[in-house]
Amino acid sequence: MTRRRASRVPRLVLIMLAAVIAATGCGTTPDASPAPATSSGPVTSSVPAATATAKAEAVAVPKSLSFTGTTLAGEKFDAASLAGRPAILWFWAPWCATCASEAQSLGDIHAEYGDELAILGIAGMGGTAEMKEFVADFELESITHLNDPGGKLWKRFGIAQQSWYVMVDRTGKIVHRGYLDDLQLTGKVRELTA
């Protein structure tokens, strides 16, 4: 069996398992007991109000993530999508040599911790074409980058210079604001994701 084919087998097994679970568990939730069947109609269930409330509270957006922006691709972005997990906001400029030296580290961190940690680049002090070129040159396309030409988000977070980080824990609390070298950045990432 080829290597490519071997990697597909577990996916196929997972898909089949999901189909079996879906077929046997449709219409019920772990928190809800099915009503007894009657001759007047099918059995129905609903999610209890307490469960719905708990889900709403779980996605509460902290003040630190209550902002929106526009990506370098021109799409709208809502930072509320980062709520509930730790995040790094990286403030950079396309002409910044320090930012260029940190780009590979951020790409590596994203590759290793991407499921556990959100990374959001916030680019300023440059043109959109230069910012796009920076992202392409350093292969950072898998990280979302906002275009902040007027410095609105930089001002909001009190950023006075580039390459600075704002680190937000799972609860939305800002736990670091400032410069970090590669070693310090790696240490902070480990703390955030522990």
Side-chain angles (χ1 to χ4, degrees):
M1 186 179 297
T2 66
R3 200 171 217 204
R4 184 175 188 166
R5 191 174 216 181
S7 68
R8 289 187 179 187
V9 172
R11 287 185 191 160
L12 180 59
V13 171
L14 288 174
I15 291 168
M16 291 171 50
L17 182 59
V20 169
I21 291 170
T24 60
C26 266
T28 63
T29 63
D31 297 333
S33 302
T38 63
S39 59
S40 61
V43 174
T44 60
S45 68
S46 63
V47 177
T51 303
T53 303
K55 287 180 182 177
E57 289 174 7
V59 294
V61 179
K63 187 176 180 181
S64 60
L65 298 176
S66 296
F67 66 89
T68 59
T70 304
T71 67
L72 290 178
E75 300 168 355
K76 296 294 180 195
F77 178 83
D78 189 344
S81 64
L82 307 177
R85 63 183 178 147
I88 297 175
L89 310 181
W90 176 43
F91 294 84
W92 61 273
W95 45 264
C96 168
T98 303
C99 303
S101 70
E102 293 173 347
Q104 182 175 353
S105 294
L106 281 163
D108 292 345
I109 287 169
H110 180 68
E112 185 174 346
Y113 294 94
D115 294 337
E116 305 169 59
L117 174 73
I119 300 175
L120 177 64
I122 303 175
M125 298 189 275
T128 304
E130 297 165 315
M131 293 174 189
K132 287 180 178 180
E133 185 177 338
F134 180 95
V135 169
D137 286 350
F138 293 103
E139 300 176 354
L140 298 173
E141 295 91 347
S142 61
I143 297 173
T144 300
H145 297 273
L146 301 184
N147 187 352
D148 190 28
K152 180 178 132 190
L153 294 174
W154 285 49
K155 290 173 192 163
R156 182 184 191 281
F157 286 96
I159 305 302
Q161 64 188 44
Q162 73 291 336
S163 180
W164 272 42
Y165 298 97
V166 172
M167 297 188 148
V168 181
D169 70 10
R170 285 177 175 80
T171 67
K173 178 182 176 189
I174 295 176
V175 294
H176 177 80
R177 183 187 332 249
Y179 172 78
L180 295 168
D181 64 28
D182 285 348
L183 189 58
Q184 293 167 327
L185 176 62
T186 303
K188 290 286 187 188
V189 166
R190 286 189 186 127
E191 288 174 20
L192 276 176
T193 57

